[in-house]
């Protein structure tokens, strides 16, 4: 089972699979070295990036994430305002303190290699860490895969069922939406109530509430920071932040039109993804590339829906957790595996379900909202221009959030009966991703990424 603690992780931008995951893997490698007698013999550490990490890693800041991870930094605790300075210190001094304990010579251009030619046998986001002694002999090598949403696994474990030693039996185990609906019918519980019971089987209720509060507060703070910050985003595309200007325009308007609420929802999503593109503090939901959809929809609930409450926001996130878990277990949330349908599409499905639940929908209506949210994102490609999570990613999150609100509304107007089940949509998404040409899966080798110069 996928927990809310795993699905909603606090980290930094711009990418969960290309920044957060590699940083986590690098920190794990550094920790393993530090815990052994090998670190004392290590004089050089080399990192090789394969597949999508090699093709779009520079645009996603993967090399910077590797430096930070090897130095012992972690996405959830690093100060994003200090990250660039830490990387600059390492590159300027050509010296890295591994795991914060032992200094070695380090040349980022020679010690971080972007291998876009060697196939990645198990996952398109593969990276290898190697430690060498003074004689140039290999001491140890680890190969990791960043499988989306900040999740990382050793390459040998890709595709294997994940189990945790001592994992308790959960009161409401489910593998698909059919199971989830059946469990709800038998127990009389909502999806959020079943997820809550599962979470509390693993940890105290107070800890679960604290995490939901942390996620909520981080999301809202990210929106607030995004709508108050102007300037140009890094990376070379010269993309200007728009959220602050949009907010100022909305506030200054003397007249109100019925569709203006959509402008606010779009604003919230754009604010988050501009912060993400700038390397700011965000919540993977379920990824960084799609980090704006859930917060924007949650902010819509908080600020625009009568009767909204903190409890309702928790209910929203717990319900979204169940839907995100279904996609993670049965398909993918990695743009490098299945395209943007696995990122913005899944985020839209999660947000639609969460909003439907917060607005009083029953389990059947919630499942319907999730299905609608994904069905109309099927086949969406991931072709970021310049390998940056900016164009079309920022606006795409705004459209995903608007679609989530629409999907929830449509589902709540019905009784939960519909023709295409969520399970069928998840299978279709997985098969569509498998059939999608690799150049459309976070490689910047096709689509908008190559056609922009012709426009």
């Amino acid at each position: 089972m996928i927990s809310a603690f795993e699905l909603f992780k606090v980290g930094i931008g711009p990418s969960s699979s290309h920044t957060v995951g590699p940083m986590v893997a690098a920190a794990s490698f550094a920790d393993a070295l530090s815990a052994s007698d090998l670190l004392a013999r290590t004089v050089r550490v080399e990192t090789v990036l394969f597949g999508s990490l090699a093709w779009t890693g520079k645009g996603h800041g993967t090399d910077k994430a590797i430096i930070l991870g090897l130095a012992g930094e972690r996405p959830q605790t690093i100060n994003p305002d200090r990250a660039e300075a830490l990387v600059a210190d390492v590159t300027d001094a050509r010296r890295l303190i591994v795991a914060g304990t032992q200094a070695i010579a380090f040349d980022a251009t020679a010690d971080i290699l972007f291998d876009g030619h060697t196939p990645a046998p198990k996952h398109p986001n593969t990276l290898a860490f190697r430690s060498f002694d003074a004689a140039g002999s290999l001491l140890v090598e680890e190969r990791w895969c960043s499988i989306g949403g900040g999740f990382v696994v050793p390459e040998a474990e890709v595709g294997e069922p994940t189990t945790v030693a001592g994992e308790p039996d959960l009161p409401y185990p489910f593998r698909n939406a059919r199971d989830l609906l059946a469990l709800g019918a038998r127990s009389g519980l909502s999806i959020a109530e079943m997820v809550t019971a599962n979470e509390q089987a693993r940890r105290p209720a107070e800890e679960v509430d604290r995490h939901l509060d942390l996620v909520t507060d981080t999301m809202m703070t990210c929106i607030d920071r995004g709508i108050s910050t102007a300037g140009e985003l890094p990376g070379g595309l010269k993309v200007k932040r728009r959220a602050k200007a949009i907010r100022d325009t909305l506030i200054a308007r003397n007249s109100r039109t019925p569709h203006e609420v959509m402008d606010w929802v779009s604003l919230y999503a754009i604010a988050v993804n501009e912060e993400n593109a700038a390397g700011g503090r965000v919540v993977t939901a379920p990824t960084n590339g799609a980090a704006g959809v859930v917060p924007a929809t949650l902010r819509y609930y908080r600020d625009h829906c009568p009767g909204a409450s903190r409890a309702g926001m928790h209910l929203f996130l717990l319900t979204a957790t169940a839907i995100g878990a279904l996609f993670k277990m049965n398909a993918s949330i990695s743009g490098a595996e299945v395209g943007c349908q696995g990122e913005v599409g899944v985020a839209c499905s999660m947000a639609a379900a969460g909003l439907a639940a917060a607005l009083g929908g029953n389990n059947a209506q919630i499942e319907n909202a999730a299905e609608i949210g994904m069905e109309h994102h099927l086949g969406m490609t991931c072709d970021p221009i310049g390998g940056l999570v900016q164009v079309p990613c920022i606006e795409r999150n705004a459209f995903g959030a608007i679609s989530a609100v629409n999907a929830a509304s449509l589902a709540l107007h019905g009784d939960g009966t519909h023709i295409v089940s969520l399970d069928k949509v998840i299978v279709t998404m997985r098969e569509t991703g498998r059939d999608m040409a690799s150049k459309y899966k976070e490689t910047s080798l096709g689509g908008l990424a190559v056609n922009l110069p012709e426009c």
Side-chain angles (χ1 to χ4, degrees):
M1 300 301 301
I2 308 297
S3 166
F5 287 74
E6 300 166 307
L7 203 61
F8 294 115
K9 295 187 286 290
V10 176
I12 62 171
S15 172
S16 50
S17 59
H18 289 60
T19 311
V20 175
M23 190 188 303
V24 171
S28 296
F29 177 71
D31 284 347
L33 274 182
S34 182
S36 70
D37 61 353
L38 296 177
L39 182 55
R41 298 165 55 195
T42 297
V43 300
R44 178 172 176 255
V45 171
E46 176 186 83
T47 304
V48 185
L49 307 173
F50 303 96
S52 178
L53 292 178
W55 294 320
T56 65
K58 290 185 179 178
H60 286 101
T62 306
D63 47 351
K64 298 175 183 178
I66 295 298
I67 292 172
L68 294 169
L70 291 175
E73 298 287 347
R74 284 169 173 75
Q76 66 270 29
T77 56
I78 189 172
N79 180 350
D81 294 328
R82 278 281 300 146
E84 288 289 339
L86 290 172
V87 172
D89 288 344
V90 171
T91 53
D92 291 345
R94 298 168 73 91
R95 179 174 174 269
L96 173 69
I97 303 177
V98 179
T101 59
Q102 176 169 313
I104 63 171
F106 189 83
D107 180 354
T109 59
D111 295 332
I112 301 177
L113 307 177
F114 293 81
D115 185 348
H117 303 288
T118 304
K122 290 211 169 185
H123 193 279
N125 289 334
T126 299
L127 58 167
F129 300 99
R130 296 163 184 160
S131 164
F132 298 91
D133 64 16
S137 299
L138 178 66
L139 295 174
V140 64
E141 176 177 0
E142 289 183 5
R143 292 176 65 93
W144 289 80
C145 294
S146 179
I147 60 176
F151 290 87
V152 295
V153 295
E155 185 183 51
E157 298 177 14
V158 171
E160 297 295 323
T162 55
T163 58
V164 178
E167 177 82 349
D169 291 334
L170 300 180
Y172 301 102
F174 58 90
R175 294 294 304 181
N176 51 52
R178 184 182 65 250
D179 291 345
L180 193 58
L181 292 174
L183 286 168
R186 288 198 297 269
S187 66
L189 299 177
S190 69
I191 291 173
E193 288 170 330
M194 290 185 286
V195 173
T196 298
N198 286 345
E199 296 287 354
Q200 293 179 359
R202 292 167 156 162
R203 49 182 61 87
E206 296 79 8
E207 188 177 345
V208 175
D209 285 339
R210 280 197 302 271
H211 181 69
L212 295 175
D213 282 336
L214 171 65
V215 168
T216 300
D217 292 342
T218 304
M219 287 180 172
M220 298 304 106
T221 299
C222 184
I223 291 174
D224 291 337
R225 182 165 175 167
I227 62 179
S228 61
T229 306
E232 187 176 285
L233 294 173
L237 288 182
K238 301 187 182 301
V239 174
K240 292 184 178 178
R241 286 179 179 253
R242 290 181 290 169
K244 184 179 185 300
I246 295 173
R247 174 181 176 273
D248 292 345
T249 300
L250 288 173
I251 291 175
R253 278 181 183 169
N254 294 321
S255 61
R256 294 289 182 267
T257 55
H259 71 265
E260 185 175 289
V261 69
M262 293 191 297
D263 295 335
W264 284 100
V265 176
S266 295
L267 164 65
Y268 303 145
I270 288 171
V272 171
N273 284 86
E274 287 179 347
E275 278 296 292
N276 178 65
R281 175 78 66 206
V282 298
V283 176
T284 58
T287 68
N288 282 30
V293 178
V294 170
T297 312
L298 189 62
R299 182 72 161 239
Y300 165 76
Y301 165 73
R302 193 196 78 173
D303 289 1
H304 301 274
C305 295
S309 64
R310 174 66 65 149
M313 297 174 83
H314 283 198
L315 186 152
F316 182 117
L317 293 174
L318 290 163
T319 304
T321 294
I323 303 306
L326 292 177
F327 282 98
K328 181 75 174 66
M329 290 188 291
N330 298 296
S332 174
I333 58 172
S334 169
E337 276 193 297
V338 294
C340 196
Q341 59 175 356
E343 298 204 26
V344 169
V346 172
C348 177
S349 184
M350 292 168 60
L355 181 60
L359 295 179
N362 60 39
N363 289 350
Q365 291 171 316
I366 292 166
E367 185 263 356
N368 188 15
E371 182 276 325
I372 295 171
M374 171 50 76
E375 182 179 342
H376 305 292
H377 283 89
L378 289 172
M380 181 178 282
T381 59
C382 181
D383 48 356
I385 294 172
L388 299 168
V389 192
Q390 297 180 18
V391 182
C393 318
I394 294 173
E395 285 185 355
R396 188 167 285 181
N397 274 258
F399 278 79
I402 292 294
S403 295
V405 174
N406 193 24
S409 180
L410 287 173
L412 291 173
H413 278 296
D415 62 2
T417 303
H418 54 112
I419 293 177
V420 180
S421 71
L422 177 58
D423 288 332
K424 293 295 185 184
V425 165
I426 292 174
V427 169
T428 302
M429 189 269 269
R430 185 184 67 223
E431 292 175 346
T432 302
R434 186 176 59 220
D435 294 340
M436 188 182 293
S438 62
K439 68 181 181 179
Y440 297 118
K441 294 190 282 191
E442 207 167 359
T443 62
S444 291
L445 299 176
L448 288 174
V450 299
N451 287 322
L452 179 67
E454 299 176 8
C455 297

